[in-house]
Amino acid sequence: MKLVDFHMHTTHSDGTLTPTELLRQCKEKNLACVSVTDHDTLSSFEEAESEAKRLGIELIPGVEISAVFEPGTLHILGYFLDRKNRELMACLESIQEARRSRNPQIVEKLQCEGVDISLEEVTEEAFAGAGALHEKQIGRPHFAKVLVKKGVVKSIQEAFNQYLGKGRPAYVDKRRVTSKEAIRIIQAAGGVASVAHPKQMRLEEAALEKEIACFKEEGLGGIEVYNSCQHFKENELYLKLAGRFDLVATGGSDFHGANKPGVKLGFLGENVHLGYEMVDKLRARIKKLGKT
Ligand code: AMP
Ligand code: ZN
Ligand code: FE
Ligand code: FE
């Protein structure tokens, strides 16, 4: 069986491996086809592609876009994207820009809380982990690490609970697109959209079904039935929804390297083995969506 993993992160977002290191690990795990899905950026693709070619791994251009949603988290995965598509690249660039302008605001809020911290310290922390000169995303996990190092809090979790989490004093929301916008832009760039880890939307079955129906109207092509954060009992429900709404059942480990130590590359859940058939189904879906 040709194994696939369609959800993983590099140092270009919040993972700890460079694209080259990540692809080498994919090879060790015997993965035949993968998609690197950094948050709101495709900047890792070039490096990943040259290593993938060298190793004989098929690499599909992918991204994970954060969309507006309450009460949980909504991430939309996009696959088979055309990196020359101007609208997609401009949209991702504007999200990155919003992120850059958010960071000084978080610093200011922390300072108001009496925490001695500077943007330089956070930037240094982010680049120390990256070990390479590229467009590095700086986000709340880096703030959290600095707070721990300074002894302001004891753990990353405490940093989020006390300062950085939603509703806490140093929380600043980031610009997000709507699900409709994300799905449309992915499609316009020749791709197909799949809703990532539906578990994280934190909805009961009936409410989830309603949302998925709505996304389907907006052009959704897949649902991430298999993700290492989901239990096989939950997978059953998502598989049922895939059938009901005619969505391709996709899957990925959501590997972040040392930032999520429990997650193994290529591991999509207990007894789950996702083969190349999924890739064919996604390709077929793009053709079909293009005709309607
Ligand atoms: P950002 O993109 O800068 O808003 O940071 C989002 C990242 O922060 C997520 O990918 C998580 O890794 C982490 N994160 C968000 N909320 C929490 C939380 N309550 N506890 C621990 N980590 C969190
Ligand atoms: Zn992530
Ligand atoms: Fe996600
Ligand atoms: Fe992810």
Side-chain angles (χ1 to χ4, degrees), residues 8 10 17-26 36 255 265:
M8 56 185 77
T10 74
L17 299 186
T18 64
T20 303
E21 289 165 346
L22 180 65
L23 265 295
R24 286 181 188 169
Q25 293 215 2
C26 288
V36 178
F255 180 79
L265 193 60

Side-chain angles (χ1 to χ4, degrees), residues 14 39-40 66 75 99 102-103 106 137-144 156-161 164-166 171-174 176 256 259-260:
D14 55 351
H39 296 283
D40 307 307
S66 302
H75 289 170
R99 198 178 251 290
R102 178 178 78 150
N103 291 327
I106 298 179
Q137 265 182 34
I138 300 171
R140 288 182 292 160
H142 304 115
F143 281 88
I156 301 277
Q157 197 51 54
E158 198 184 321
F160 276 91
N161 293 347
L164 302 164
K166 213 171 191 172
Y171 179 73
V172 182
D173 202 6
K174 53 182 179 195
R176 288 166 198 268
H256 283 72
N259 279 345
K260 281 194 188 172

Side-chain angles (χ1 to χ4, degrees), residues 116-117 121-122 124-129 141-156 159:
D116 170 33
I117 191 168
E121 288 170 309
V122 183
E124 231 168 74
E125 174 60 47
F127 279 91
H142 304 115
F143 281 88
K145 277 187 192 162
V146 172
L147 293 178
V148 174
K149 277 191 182 163
K150 287 180 158 259
V152 177
V153 290
K154 289 199 183 66
S155 66
I156 301 277

Side-chain angles (χ1 to χ4, degrees), residues 167-180:
R168 304 310 302 153
Y171 179 73
V172 182
D173 202 6
K174 53 182 179 195
R175 186 188 106 78
R176 288 166 198 268
V177 293
T178 61
S179 58
K180 191 174 179 176

